[in-house]
């Protein structure tokens, strides 16, 4: 086995979140031992990399110009703001919300160069000034970065005249939306409060 290519594969796998060195090694061995899997995975990665991008309206991941959620819920009066596509999936899977979304792809972090432009706040504002939209739900983590971003968004979006609410009860301090169970998320949505 060519050790340098194998090491490179292991190293790349190890860059994924939640994958330590041991797991990366185990995955790499498994891929080498299972050529079908390696080929299918490589093809899926290539196609994803080539075709999946951000929806031009809500920044959800899509292989189209506008994502299916935006297309099918164009007339919903609610926009739910989430940190990343994984959080959006968590809210969808909980089955409690069927409105529109906006995906920030990050939290405000001025020291790291992440400002309103990087989070696409102009696009979010565009969505909220649509007269059909009456409520924006901030479904962000209750971490320090999530809180700071929620406060900024509430102040910015209220100027557009829309009602801004946030998940209050149910989501304990420091909790992330992605890993909250469905019941907790449902309670957090139902207990949402005006900012
Ligand atoms: Zn979209």
């Amino acid at each position: 086995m060519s050790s340098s290519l194998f090491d490179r594969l292991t190293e790349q796998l190890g860059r994924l979140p939640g994958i330590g060195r041991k797991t990366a090694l185990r995955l790499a061995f498994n891929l080498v031992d299972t050529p079908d899997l390696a080929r299918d995975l490589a093809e899926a990665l290539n196609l994803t990399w080539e075709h999946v991008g951000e929806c031009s309206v809500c920044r959800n991941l899509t292989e189209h110009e506008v994502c299916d959620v935006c297309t099918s819920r164009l007339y919903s009066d609610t926009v739910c703001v989430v940190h990343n596509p994984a959080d959006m999936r968590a809210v969808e899977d909980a089955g409690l919300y069927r409105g529109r979304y906006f995906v920030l792809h990050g939290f405000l972090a001025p020291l790291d160069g992440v400002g309103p432009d990087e989070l696409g706040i102009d696009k979010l504002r565009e969505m909220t000034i649509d007269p059909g939209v009456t409520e924006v739900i901030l479904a962000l983590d209750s971490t320090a970065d999530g809180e700071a971003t929620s406060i900024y968004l509430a102040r910015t979006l209220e100027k557009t005249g829309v009602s801004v609410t946030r998940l209050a009860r149910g989501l304990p301090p420091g909790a992330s939306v992605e890993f909250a169970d469905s019941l907790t998320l449902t309670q957090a949505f139902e207990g949402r409060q005006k900012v």
Side-chain angles (χ1 to χ4, degrees), residues 55 57-58 60 67 70:
C55 168
V57 178
C58 76
N60 176 25
C67 76
C70 279

Side-chain angles (χ1 to χ4, degrees), residues 107-129:
F107 287 134
L108 285 178
L111 296 179
D112 297 326
V114 183
D117 286 351
E118 283 67 29
L119 302 185
I121 304 305
D122 276 352
K123 277 185 182 174
L124 174 57
R125 203 179 301 130
E126 246 172 67
M127 272 178 105
T128 57
I129 56 177

Side-chain angles (χ1 to χ4, degrees), residues 55-60 62 66-71 101 127:
C55 168
S56 63
V57 178
C58 76
R59 302 185 85 202
N60 176 25
T62 178
V66 177
C67 76
D68 291 345
V69 176
C70 279
T71 308
Y101 287 90
M127 272 178 105

Side-chain angles (χ1 to χ4, degrees), residues 8-191:
R8 190 172 148 193
L9 173 62
T10 309
E11 196 183 311
Q12 297 310 316
L13 289 168
R15 291 173 64 187
L16 292 166
I19 307 287
R21 190 177 146 66
K22 270 192 180 172
T23 306
L25 262 178
R26 191 157 52 87
L27 292 173
F29 279 125
N30 199 277
L31 286 167
V32 172
D33 283 343
T34 325
D36 279 8
L37 172 63
R39 191 198 55 217
D40 292 349
L41 182 64
E43 192 180 86
L45 283 173
N46 253 325
L47 288 170
T48 303
W49 182 72
E50 274 174 32
H51 297 291
V52 175
E54 290 177 10
C55 168
S56 63
V57 178
C58 76
R59 302 185 85 202
N60 176 25
L61 296 182
T62 178
E63 50 200 89
H64 307 291
E65 168 74 16
V66 177
C67 76
D68 291 345
V69 176
C70 279
T71 308
S72 63
R73 301 180 192 171
L74 189 60
Y75 299 107
S76 166
D77 58 2
T78 316
V79 176
C80 177
V81 180
V82 292
H83 176 213
N84 56 28
D87 284 5
M88 178 175 168
R89 180 62 68 90
V91 174
E92 274 296 286
D93 287 353
L96 58 109
Y97 174 77
R98 284 290 174 261
R100 301 171 75 182
Y101 287 90
F102 188 84
V103 185
L104 297 173
H105 292 275
F107 287 134
L108 285 178
L111 296 179
D112 297 326
V114 183
D117 286 351
E118 283 67 29
L119 302 185
I121 304 305
D122 276 352
K123 277 185 182 174
L124 174 57
R125 203 179 301 130
E126 246 172 67
M127 272 178 105
T128 57
I129 56 177
D130 177 334
V133 172
T134 57
E135 181 184 1
V136 174
I137 303 169
L138 304 174
L140 304 178
D141 295 350
S142 54
T143 57
D145 289 349
E147 291 291 329
T149 305
S150 285
I151 291 167
Y152 171 82
L153 288 177
R155 284 182 188 151
T156 305
L157 297 176
E158 270 172 351
K159 291 178 197 153
T160 68
V162 78
S163 169
V164 183
T165 57
R166 57 186 299 186
L167 307 190
R169 271 165 289 163
L171 213 57
S176 80
V177 170
E178 182 183 357
F179 298 111
D181 61 80
S182 296
L183 180 64
T184 306
L185 264 185
T186 305
Q187 285 169 345
F189 259 80
E190 285 170 354

